[in-house]
Amino acid sequence: MSGVLASVTVGVYLGWRAPELMAPQARLQGAAVWEILVFLLNSLLFVLVGLQLPGILDGLSGRSTWTLIGYGIAVSAAVMLTRFAWIFPFAYGLPRLFRAGREQ
């Protein structure tokens, strides 16, 4: 079959059975390790973006400030509209769908 599906299946199974398989202290330590790892990966991401910033600013040097502000507003609006279009069907549609399925 698929290695990805097998990994997901094992992850779901272990997440469901974690209280029986691990002591509470081990789960707390694991959560702390994951928080530190996420922090380090976010830090690495911002460092890499920061290293790219001079090249990006050089590419934008020929454009007016108002054009750049317009691009920023357009990108922000597109991201917000995409998020609304993605969240509302899943936040309100799926619970209704599952509720309708349970009532049948």
Side-chain angles (χ1 to χ4, degrees):
M1 290 294 210
S2 169
V4 174
L5 290 177
S7 298
V8 169
T9 303
V10 169
V12 168
Y13 178 76
L14 288 177
W16 183 50
R17 301 281 311 256
E20 299 169 11
L21 300 174
M22 294 175 58
Q25 184 66 24
R27 285 197 312 267
L28 287 173
Q29 288 175 345
V33 168
W34 281 111
E35 285 184 31
I36 291 171
L37 184 63
V38 167
F39 174 77
L40 291 174
L41 289 174
N42 278 330
S43 300
L44 177 65
L45 176 69
F46 278 101
V47 167
L48 291 174
V49 168
L51 290 174
Q52 295 295 316
L53 191 59
I56 292 170
L57 292 177
D58 287 341
L60 296 176
S61 63
R63 305 192 193 264
S64 72
T65 303
W66 290 110
T67 302
L68 295 176
I69 289 172
Y71 288 156
I73 290 171
V75 168
S76 297
V79 168
M80 286 188 277
L81 288 174
T82 303
R83 179 154 173 95
F84 284 132
W86 182 260
I87 292 297
F88 285 126
F90 287 100
Y92 297 111
L94 284 180
R96 288 184 183 158
L97 180 66
F98 286 130
R99 199 173 21 237
R102 276 186 257 141
E103 292 173 357
Q104 291 179 357

